[in-house]
Amino acid sequence: MSLPIVLITGQLLTDAVWQPLLNAWKGREVIVADNRSDDTIEGFAQRLLDDAPPKFVLVAHAMGGFVAFEVMRRAPGRVAKLALISTLASADGPAQTARRQGYIDLVESGNFDQVVEERIPILFPEEKRGDDGLLGIARTMAADTGAETFLAQQRAIMARIDSRPRLGEIAVPTLLVWGEKDGITSRAHHDEILEAIPGARLEVIAGAGHLPTVEAPDVVVPLLADFVDA
């Protein structure tokens, strides 16, 4: 019997980022975790565990990866497999904190709409920034998230702990997925996780940026489906 799948979505993103996978997994039990109702990583993780089945496959994107690491610290025995997309394990450094504070300043000055425009160059590689379909998805997800939820997500991210010291405790099959043109997370971030989690593997998605599930679904959907079902 197939295990349920729990998806954890990143910041300023909605279920739309998972749509290609949701289409592929019709007929399976797939739960998209709540990424709107808390303002700490610990709160998101506990809410996920309270709502999830006893045993599940965990698939996390971006900020969802921070939540996934907390889930693995709290309840490692409930997760059968772990897939991490476009994420990192360290806490924010000064540059990241400054960038996030800039976003907060935009929102608090009434310019929430500018946040996603500021993020487009780091979400998508240059050659995709004229793709109205992709940009439309990003803008719609941001609008559907809204300013107040975005600020709560920012507070959670800025206060997160460094997950690197306990990565070696993760003892389930782990897949890392990274778009080679991601402007937010780097190959070094993923190599750090790869080297720390026993038996983990990394798949690099050529030409993709920070949202490989919607940028390269023809590659990412079968990759994740094979991993989940193997």
Side-chain angles (χ1 to χ4, degrees):
M1 184 175 177
S2 299
L3 282 172
I5 302 165
V6 176
L7 308 175
I8 318 177
T9 314
Q11 183 185 41
L12 270 187
L13 307 175
T14 67
D15 294 12
V17 81
W18 301 115
Q19 198 57 56
L21 283 162
L22 294 172
N23 292 341
W25 284 331
K26 282 181 178 175
R28 290 193 63 149
E29 183 179 1
V30 182
I31 299 163
V32 182
D34 182 351
N35 74 336
R36 304 179 62 89
S37 300
D38 295 274
D39 62 2
T40 67
I41 296 302
E42 293 80 4
F44 286 125
Q46 191 57 53
R47 185 179 297 274
L48 183 155
L49 287 166
D50 290 344
D51 294 343
K55 192 87 170 183
F56 54 91
V57 175
L58 189 55
V59 182
H61 179 267
M63 179 189 79
F66 310 153
V67 179
F69 293 135
E70 182 64 25
V71 167
M72 297 307 296
R73 288 189 287 270
R74 290 180 178 229
R78 291 181 59 186
V79 178
K81 294 182 181 181
L82 176 64
L84 300 167
I85 306 166
S86 308
T87 197
L88 50 87
S90 58
D92 270 358
Q96 291 84 5
T97 298
R99 187 182 78 220
R100 296 189 199 284
Q101 186 59 52
Y103 294 152
I104 291 171
D105 293 344
L106 277 175
V107 174
E108 291 181 340
S109 63
N111 295 298
F112 172 66
D113 289 349
Q114 289 185 28
V115 171
V116 71
E117 303 307 317
E118 294 272 344
R119 284 169 60 86
I120 282 171
I122 57 175
L123 288 176
F124 300 113
E126 185 174 2
E127 61 270 23
K128 293 183 180 178
R129 292 173 204 160
D131 186 323
D132 290 339
L134 286 176
L135 268 60
I137 291 170
R139 288 170 176 147
T140 299
M141 287 193 292
D144 290 346
T145 298
E148 290 306 312
T149 295
F150 171 72
L151 289 175
Q153 291 173 342
Q154 280 289 65
R155 288 191 287 271
I157 290 171
M158 292 170 77
R160 76 186 189 279
I161 67 169
D162 186 343
S163 292
R164 292 175 296 182
R166 295 185 61 183
L167 290 178
E169 299 174 12
I170 296 175
V172 298
T174 301
L175 172 67
L176 311 178
V177 179
W178 174 65
E180 66 169 350
K181 296 190 175 181
D182 188 345
I184 296 178
T185 67
S186 68
R187 174 65 186 261
H189 289 136
H190 289 78
D191 282 344
E192 198 167 46
I193 301 169
L194 180 67
E195 292 165 9
I197 298 177
R201 69 183 175 97
L202 169 65
E203 294 289 342
V204 178
I205 310 303
H210 192 62
L211 306 180
T213 53
V214 292
E215 293 177 64
D218 291 348
V219 177
V220 175
V221 169
L223 174 65
L224 284 169
D226 287 348
F227 173 71
V228 166
D229 290 331

